[in-house]
Amino acid sequence: MGIRFQGFSSEHPDVLTIGQLLEDLQSGLYGQAGELLTLRPGQGVSPAEWDRLQAVVNRVGVADRMLLEPVAAETLGTDEVHKRHPDNALIAALRSTGPGVYRAALRIHNDNELLLDHQTGQHVQGMVVVEAARQMFLAVTERYYVEPELRGGYYFVIESMRTSFENFLFPLAAEIEYKVLDAAVGDPTRLAFTAEIAVHQAERRCALTEVSFSAFESELIEGKEHRRAAHAVTHESRLAAGVAAGV
């Protein structure tokens, strides 16, 4: 796993950061004959890093007894999860598993914005779960409910969002399941949804998010947003003028 999760790896003998594993391999630690090892990628490991690890395994001559399981597919594009930097995408391998039901892999980049200034203990912080739920409903809507020619043209508004944390989430493989509870999609100018988003790990549900949101055609909402922003600015300007006048 990535170095951000060293607090977890240091507590468990069967868990290593990818940097530590590369160092051990290159020092010859696994050079002697030993048992067959299967390596599973944890969070914070990119496909490129996993490919580099495979190259080192091959080079030091232990490929016959060190099997690397594949990393989940690349995270979704920034347009689907509405992030500018790919390191901040949290969703990979999105697919439909039934009517109104979708699943994806949770993939946390070592340099994800939510890890840069807050990572304590062994578990993944709760805001990662909340952001993954947000990205999940955006991606599902963009991919499965918006016509291809209109993708990227909607403005999403959250009406309510409530997350219950039921178990610690650790920096290991995890799955996200998205269930549509209600979908009003008859009017293409405004799509409305109610959904549940669950994060599962090690056969346990770690968190459940209940969300209601709408997706508006951008032209409809941008004008309203601008008017309300202008009202807020005017209000602040009047307050500032009052303070300056000694009111």
Side-chain angles (χ1 to χ4, degrees), residues 45-60:
V45 177
S46 70
E49 290 173 317
W50 205 240
D51 288 344
R52 180 189 172 202
L53 177 61
Q54 181 68 72
V56 173
V57 165
N58 294 342
R59 188 174 73 246
V60 301

Side-chain angles (χ1 to χ4, degrees), residues 23 29 84 91 187 197 209 223:
E23 183 179 322
L29 181 63
R84 288 192 174 91
I91 309 299
D187 179 2
I197 308 163
T209 297

Side-chain angles (χ1 to χ4, degrees), residues 45 71 75 80 132 237:
V45 177
V71 178
T75 51
E80 286 191 289
S237 297

Side-chain angles (χ1 to χ4, degrees), residues 9-227:
S9 66
S10 64
E11 295 293 331
H12 302 278
D14 292 335
V15 181
L16 294 171
T17 65
I18 192 164
Q20 183 62 58
L21 182 55
L22 286 168
E23 183 179 322
D24 290 346
L25 282 165
Q26 292 168 344
S27 70
L29 181 63
Y30 297 98
Q32 295 78 25
E35 62 181 342
L36 178 67
L37 297 175
T38 299
L39 304 182
R40 301 193 69 194
Q43 300 293 350
V45 177
S46 70
E49 290 173 317
W50 205 240
D51 288 344
R52 180 189 172 202
L53 177 61
Q54 181 68 72
V56 173
V57 165
N58 294 342
R59 188 174 73 246
V60 301
V62 296
D64 60 328
R65 54 189 176 81
M66 189 171 282
L67 174 66
L68 275 64
E69 292 190 358
V71 178
E74 290 279 1
T75 51
L76 302 191
T78 53
D79 54 338
E80 286 191 289
V81 296
H82 294 202
K83 301 299 291 186
R84 288 192 174 91
H85 200 292
D87 291 357
N88 297 327
L90 293 166
I91 309 299
L94 177 63
R95 68 273 188 198
S96 172
T97 58
V101 182
Y102 307 87
R103 291 187 74 91
L106 176 68
R107 278 277 311 283
I108 308 172
H109 193 280
N110 191 63
D111 294 326
N112 183 279
E113 59 187 338
L114 296 172
L115 304 182
L116 296 181
D117 196 33
H118 181 163
Q119 185 59 40
T120 58
Q122 298 187 48
H123 69 282
V124 177
Q125 61 170 300
M127 286 308 300
V128 172
V129 173
V130 175
E131 174 60 13
R134 189 189 74 89
Q135 292 187 21
M136 190 70 171
F137 78 66
L138 292 169
V140 168
T141 306
E142 290 279 15
R143 182 177 294 190
Y144 295 101
Y145 290 91
V146 173
E147 295 297 327
E149 65 274 12
L150 298 177
R151 288 173 186 166
Y154 280 84
Y155 193 110
F156 286 73
V157 176
I158 299 172
E159 277 108 38
S160 67
M161 191 171 183
R162 178 179 180 273
T163 300
S164 301
F165 298 96
E166 301 173 359
N167 284 289
F168 286 122
L169 176 69
F170 297 107
L172 304 170
E175 283 273 311
I176 306 171
E177 184 177 62
Y178 179 98
K179 293 182 180 179
V180 176
L181 303 181
D182 186 63
V185 295
D187 179 2
T189 65
R190 180 181 184 272
L191 312 176
F193 299 88
T194 301
E196 288 184 347
I197 308 163
V199 177
H200 297 271
Q201 185 179 74
E203 300 182 350
R204 289 184 174 182
R205 191 169 73 183
C206 300
L208 179 67
T209 297
E210 301 164 284
V211 62
S212 295
F213 66 95
S214 296
F216 297 89
E217 284 190 348
S218 295
E219 293 180 359
L220 294 178
I221 199 69
E222 284 173 355
K224 180 183 289 187
E225 182 186 42
H226 179 75
R227 289 191 298 274

